[in-house]
Amino acid sequence: MENIKLIINFLGQLLPAINITLIVSVSSIILGSLLGLLLAAARLSESVVLRVLASVYVSVIRATPAIIMIFVVYYGMPMLFNDWFHTNIDGWNRMYFVIIALTVLFSAPVSEIMRSAYESIAKGQMEAGLMVGMTPFQTLYRIILPQAFVVALPNFANSVINLLKEGALTFTIGVVDMVAKAQMIVANNSGGYAWQTYCALALIYWVISLAIDKGVSQVEKSYQAKRKTIAV
């Protein structure tokens, strides 16, 4: 019972730092999805150069651990900006470097998810849309993308959860998110209550991941119900 009380107490101390975790995660998801869409388009294009460049990018990024990418961006970007643009960005908020690193990391798997989802749709559906008088864009928007969205959704949700866990490494460059706050709590207690503190932290991540899973399930159910209604 004492441990439960301590965990609840530490939950109250950790939750104020959740806004940093959410800002980093949501920003990286949005930007990474846009970059992933461009990469998927490049992989599906008729240009050999674009396909090769996108394939190499995805291969390299997927093989790079999150902590290494964070350090590469944090230490490398200031050097590049100084050498190429003669601009000093050392004063940037460290959170920006984390968002850039996670955006790059998120874009690679998401591009593959988008590409495979698009390719899973029968090619004849595009031809059918054109035959009934739709433009290529209308066919893509009304027929292809809704189906590809449902196919991609579960894997996209898994990638979001993975990004959330990778974002726990933001503390490595001094960003005070929930993990950094947990470490500060343990340090302030001279190393004591570490088990209870990290249990509270794990509980928060579990609740967020569960909310993502439930949200995806609700979207899938809503879409399936909509399709049944249209079919009737």
Side-chain angles (χ1 to χ4, degrees), residues 21-219:
T21 299
L22 294 179
I23 288 172
V24 168
S25 298
V26 172
S27 299
S28 302
I29 290 167
I30 294 173
L31 296 175
S33 296
L34 293 175
L35 180 55
L37 180 61
L38 294 177
L39 289 168
R43 292 290 302 274
L44 294 168
S45 72
E46 297 180 357
S47 171
V48 176
V49 174
L50 288 178
R51 291 203 304 270
V52 170
L53 289 176
S55 297
V56 171
Y57 173 94
V58 170
S59 177
V60 171
I61 298 304
R62 292 180 70 179
T64 305
I67 191 168
I68 294 177
M69 180 59 70
I70 291 173
F71 286 149
V72 166
V73 171
Y74 180 62
Y75 292 111
M77 278 193 63
M79 293 175 56
L80 293 178
F81 269 70
N82 186 52
D83 292 342
W84 293 356
F85 308 111
H86 304 291
T87 302
N88 186 358
I89 62 171
D90 289 329
W92 275 16
N93 189 316
R94 296 181 181 184
M95 186 171 62
Y96 297 153
F97 295 104
V98 176
I99 292 174
I100 293 171
L102 294 182
T103 293
V104 172
L105 286 169
F106 189 68
S107 66
V110 164
S111 70
E112 290 297 280
I113 291 170
M114 292 178 176
R115 181 182 64 83
S116 60
Y118 176 82
E119 291 183 332
S120 69
I121 308 303
K123 304 297 183 182
Q125 297 203 33
M126 174 62 77
E127 298 174 359
L130 297 176
M131 289 180 64
V132 298
M134 289 185 180
T135 65
F137 178 78
Q138 288 175 326
T139 305
L140 180 68
Y141 179 75
R142 295 181 181 181
I143 298 177
I144 306 297
L145 290 185
Q147 297 178 72
F149 172 76
V150 175
V151 173
L153 194 56
N155 289 328
F156 183 83
N158 288 334
S159 294
V160 168
I161 293 174
N162 287 333
L163 175 74
L164 184 68
K165 292 186 290 185
E166 290 170 345
L169 294 169
T170 58
F171 77 95
T172 57
I173 61 171
V175 177
V176 184
D177 65 341
M178 291 191 297
V179 178
K181 184 65 175 179
Q183 290 185 322
M184 292 167 62
I185 292 172
V186 174
N188 290 337
N189 286 290
S190 302
Y193 306 116
W195 183 83
Q196 294 87 343
T197 303
Y198 288 113
C199 276
L201 183 62
L203 183 61
I204 294 173
Y205 276 99
W206 175 73
V207 170
I208 295 175
S209 298
L210 183 62
I212 293 171
D213 282 335
K214 292 294 184 182
V216 170
S217 296
Q218 289 300 317
V219 171

